[in-house]
Amino acid sequence: MDLKKRAKVGMVGCGFYAQNHLHAWADLRAAGSDLVAVCDIDSGRAEAAAQQFGVKAYVSVDAMLDAEPLDFVDIATRVASHQDIAAKAAERGIGAIVQKPLAPTLADCVAIVETARRHGSWLAVHENFRFGTAMQRIKAVLDRGDIGAINWARLSFRTAFNVYESQPYLAKEPRLCILDSGIHVLDLARFFMGEVERISCETQKRNPAIAGEDTSTMMLRHKSGAVSLVEATYEAKRLPDVFPETLLEIEGSAGSVILLPGQRAIITSRDKSYEEELRSPILPWTDVRWHVSQEAVLHANAHFLDRFLEGRAADTSGEDNLRTFALVEAAYQAAETHCSVRPEFS
Ligand code: NAD
Ligand code: 89V
C-alpha cells in the first residue's frame, strides 16, 4: 500500500485553544500537513482563522466535510459537541483528532471509539501533556532504566492561575477538576507508570463561586505494584505558580527524577545526581505563560501527523484514551463512595 506523504487537514472549532492547533499545523507544513479549511459556527472566528492561515472558512461541519477532500479533521470544540462531529467525520471515512475530554462520560467515549471502528476511520485523542518536551525527555530516562524499576511517584498540577478568564465555561462545569486537568495528570501517570489496578480519590470545592470540584487528590496502585499520587487543583495559592506545568517526583529502585518549577530536572541514577534544563525555547507563536502547554500541542500534532501518514494508531488513540478516561470515572466514583475503585478499562 502506498503510504501518503501529505495530509489535508480541516480544523473544527476556532476558539481559544484551537489557535495553538492552527499554528502547529502551519509549522508542520514541511512535515506533510496541509491545513486547507477551518470551521466554526461563529462566523467571525471562522473568518478570522481563515484569513490568518490563508484557508477556506466554513460555519458548518457538514458543508466543510462535503466540500473539502480532507484526510482528517482536528476537533477543538468543547466536549458537548465532540461525539456528533467525530461521527460526521467517521461516517465519511475521514480521520479525526478530538480534543480532551473525548466526551462527557465513559459511555460516550466508548460510543465514539465504536463508531470510528465500525467505519474503519482513524481516531486519536488530543491528550498532549505526555508530548511536552520535558515529559518526553523524562520518559527516555525512565525507559533507559536509569532509575531502575519505578515504584513511587507524585504528579502535581497545582495552580491558582485564573483558568476561568480564558475558559469561562469551566466555572459552570458540574465535573471540573478531574475531567478538565486531572485527566492530563492521570494520563501522565499511565504514561510513566503503566496501567492501574485501583484508584482512590478525595475531591474538594474550595472556591464557592464555581459549580464543580476545584481540587482532586488521587492515589493509584499500578499493576506493576507501584503507587502514585495524582493531584490537580485550581486553588493552590502558592508561589511560584507554575501553571500550566506538571511537577513530578518519580522514584525507582536505583534513583529518581524530580521535575521542578521552570522545567528543571534533578536526576539521580545509581548514587550519581545531575541537573537538566528541560524547558524548550519560546516559539514565535507561543508565550511565556502558556508555552509548556502550547509546545506540547506542536509535538502532539507532529506525532498524530506521522502516525496518520504511516497508517498506524497514535499513542493516544481512541482505544488508549478509554483507559485514561476510565480512571476519570473511577476517580469520581471513588470520591463518591469513599472506596478505591477498579477502572473499567485498564
Ligand atoms: P472555546 O469555547 O474557546 O472554543 C470552542 C469553539 O468551538 C468556539 O469558537 C465555538 O464557536 C466552536 N464550536 C462549537 N460547536 C461547534 C460546531 N458544532 N462546529 C464548529 N465549531 C463549533 O473552547 P476552548 O477553551 O478552546 O476548548 C476547546 C477544547 O480544548 C475543550 O475540549 C478543552 O477541554 C480543550 N482544551 C485543551 C487544552 C489542552 O490540550 N491542554 C487546553 C485548553 C482547552
Ligand atoms: O490544559 C487544559 O486542558 C486546560 C487547563 C485549564 C487545565 O489548562 O483546560
Side-chain angles (χ1 to χ4, degrees):
M1 176 184 77
D2 287 340
L3 292 180
K4 293 176 74 71
K5 294 272 183 288
R6 302 195 69 77
K8 290 189 186 313
V9 184
M11 187 79 223
V12 183
C14 301
F16 164 69
Y17 203 72
Q19 303 311 309
N20 303 309
H21 292 235
L22 290 161
H23 280 291
W25 292 127
D27 282 7
L28 291 167
R29 195 172 293 118
S33 84
D34 293 318
L35 180 71
V36 296
V38 295
C39 171
D40 199 301
I41 51 176
D42 177 324
S43 59
R45 287 181 172 181
E47 288 300 338
Q51 191 156 18
Q52 183 175 0
F53 292 93
V55 298
K56 276 192 73 176
Y58 292 85
V59 291
S60 144
V61 177
D62 285 311
M64 181 173 78
L65 297 180
D66 291 341
E68 301 291 341
L70 300 177
D71 290 297
F72 60 79
V73 287
D74 183 8
I75 303 168
T77 59
R78 289 184 3 222
V79 65
S81 54
H82 289 174
Q83 185 169 0
D84 177 51
I85 299 169
K88 291 175 184 292
E91 287 153 9
R92 294 169 170 86
I94 296 170
I97 302 166
V98 186
Q99 252 291 354
K100 51 56 66 176
L102 178 57
T105 69
L106 182 58
D108 295 331
C109 292
V110 170
I112 293 175
V113 171
E114 285 305 313
T115 299
R117 189 179 292 146
R118 192 166 60 252
H119 293 282
S121 61
W122 189 87
L123 174 68
V125 177
H126 191 102
E127 170 42 67
N128 61 41
F129 274 33
R130 64 166 74 184
F131 292 105
T133 297
M135 302 307 171
Q136 290 287 313
R137 296 271 295 278
I138 288 168
K139 178 71 168 154
V141 170
L142 303 184
D143 287 352
R144 277 200 309 264
D146 289 8
I147 69 167
I150 303 165
N151 47 37
W152 186 90
R154 181 183 179 205
L155 305 91
S156 304
F157 183 90
R158 306 194 74 82
T159 185
F161 176 76
N162 183 3
V163 296
Y164 310 106
E165 196 170 5
S166 39
Q167 299 168 253
Y169 55 88
L170 292 176
K172 305 182 190 74
E173 296 292 343
R175 302 202 304 176
L176 171 60
C177 185
I178 303 172
L179 193 56
D180 180 60
S181 55
I183 195 168
H184 290 302
V185 195
L186 288 166
D187 191 71
L188 285 175
R190 289 185 54 231
F191 179 58
F192 290 128
M193 316 209 22
E195 300 311 336
V196 177
E197 193 71 46
R198 60 180 180 271
I199 183 171
S200 54
C201 175
E202 292 293 339
T203 57
Q204 296 165 279
K205 184 160 83 164
R206 296 193 277 173
N207 176 351
I210 62 160
E213 86 285 359
D214 51 42
T215 300
S216 59
T217 307
M218 298 170 265
M219 186 163 66
L220 287 61
R221 170 71 78 172
H222 296 261
K223 292 186 172 178
S224 65
V227 172
S228 63
L229 295 175
V230 171
E231 308 163 8
T233 183
Y234 306 119
E235 290 300 317
K237 294 172 174 58
R238 54 171 68 191
L239 294 175
D241 188 317
V242 297
F243 179 88
E245 296 177 21
T246 302
L247 304 185
L248 302 174
E249 301 166 57
I250 302 175
E251 297 177 357
S253 56
S256 59
V257 176
I258 312 288
L259 184 59
L260 296 168
Q263 307 278 281
R264 187 164 61 86
I266 300 175
I267 298 161
T268 302
S269 175
R270 295 174 179 81
D271 302 330
K272 282 203 218 61
S273 183
Y274 60 97
E275 291 194 19
E276 278 203 20
E277 297 300 330
L278 300 181
R279 188 176 185 77
S280 63
I282 298 281
L283 301 165
W285 51 271
T286 63
D287 58 50
V288 172
R289 172 48 99 182
W290 281 86
H291 174 67
V292 164
S293 176
Q294 293 170 303
E295 71 106 37
V297 173
L298 177 59
H299 299 303
N301 283 14
H303 171 82
F304 299 139
L305 178 65
D306 287 349
R307 290 296 174 89
F308 179 83
L309 293 176
E310 291 164 3
R312 293 170 58 201
D315 285 353
T316 56
S317 66
E319 282 86 357
D320 173 80
N321 195 255
L322 291 182
R323 290 189 281 276
T324 292
F325 204 103
L327 288 174
V328 168
E329 291 287 13
Y332 280 116
Q333 188 186 339
E336 206 174 301
T337 60
H338 315 307
C339 300
S340 64
V341 173
R342 283 177 188 279
E344 191 169 331
F345 297 99
S346 68

